[in-house]
Amino acid sequence: MFKTLLMRCLSGLVFMVVMAAGLLVHPTIYALLFMLITGITTLEYFRVTVKKRHIFAQCAVILGGWMLFILFYLLMRFHIPAHWFLLMVLPPTAVWISLLYQKEEYAYQSAPWLFIPLLYIAFPFALTNILVFDGQGLFSGTLLLDLFIMLWASDVGAYIFGMAFGQKRGHKLFPRLSPKKSWEGFFGGLVTAMIAGYFLYLTHLMPYHWAHCLAIPLMLHGCGVWGDLAESQLKRHFEIKDSGKIMPGHGGLLDRFDSALLAFPMAIAYLQIITLFLPS
């Protein structure tokens, strides 16, 4: 038990250092890091779903995910014309054509699993460009790092409170999909996420009113739990435990980012709305 916890903590610490470096050093490092994450996460998703079938289609989707990220990157940093996004018709077209030449009798049934990563994985990561570049194309990864900090605080709080109060006599949160999750862990994660949000407000790392600095972690935590449950449902459907083994004690990158994939688009939309209509 102690060895597993130590391994989990060490791999989590390395992960946080890498993410922080990618978000604070240089925009090119940020772009390369998030493209790498997009590629690995999509590959893990395919290893869960279609496995080693439809390799050409898998490559087309991974390239499509990178293309989507690069287009958002160029749009936000260099303000390229939006019509360049029409290039995104190419990856889905390549997938459809590749399926025509598959000799499997039921190849068409794989189509949904092949297209989902573009929306489920690539699009949320591409949206992060909206937060790291301002209207003049200047880079700052601090706000995106703030979102990660609140989500990490949520995960740590949920784990600690779940282990302490939810394992033996706790109240199950969603036993059909995740028997180990408890309401005690849910509310523990919510409290730690909101504490992290308020701390970021006090240290002026988040340039928003304190009410927003509490609303954002509330949204991140709630959507993050749904994101976690959504991936649990996927893994249960395909009867696997982890999406990969790249992070000891955590599983794969899809296991690590499952909360962010649902939570970040909602938080980014919220931040865009309050920037437009509400005082900061």
Side-chain angles (χ1 to χ4, degrees), residues 259-272:
S259 300
L261 292 175
L262 196 62
F264 278 12
M266 294 297 294
I268 292 169
Y270 179 85
L271 288 170
Q272 293 302 297

Side-chain angles (χ1 to χ4, degrees), residues 26-28 30-31 69-70 72-79 126-144 272:
H26 193 274
T28 302
Y30 150 76
F69 185 91
I70 291 170
F72 266 97
Y73 179 86
L74 295 176
L75 175 69
M76 299 305 301
R77 188 176 183 187
F78 300 110
H79 304 101
L127 283 179
T128 60
N129 284 282
I130 295 174
L131 290 188
V132 301
F133 293 106
D134 63 14
Q136 287 73 45
L138 298 176
F139 175 78
S140 175
T142 303
L143 186 54
L144 182 55
Q272 293 302 297

Side-chain angles (χ1 to χ4, degrees), residues 142 144-154 193 196 199-200 205:
T142 303
L144 182 55
L145 182 59
D146 290 340
L147 297 189
F148 274 112
I149 290 172
M150 289 183 282
L151 201 57
W152 293 335
S154 166
F199 172 80
L200 292 170
L205 291 174

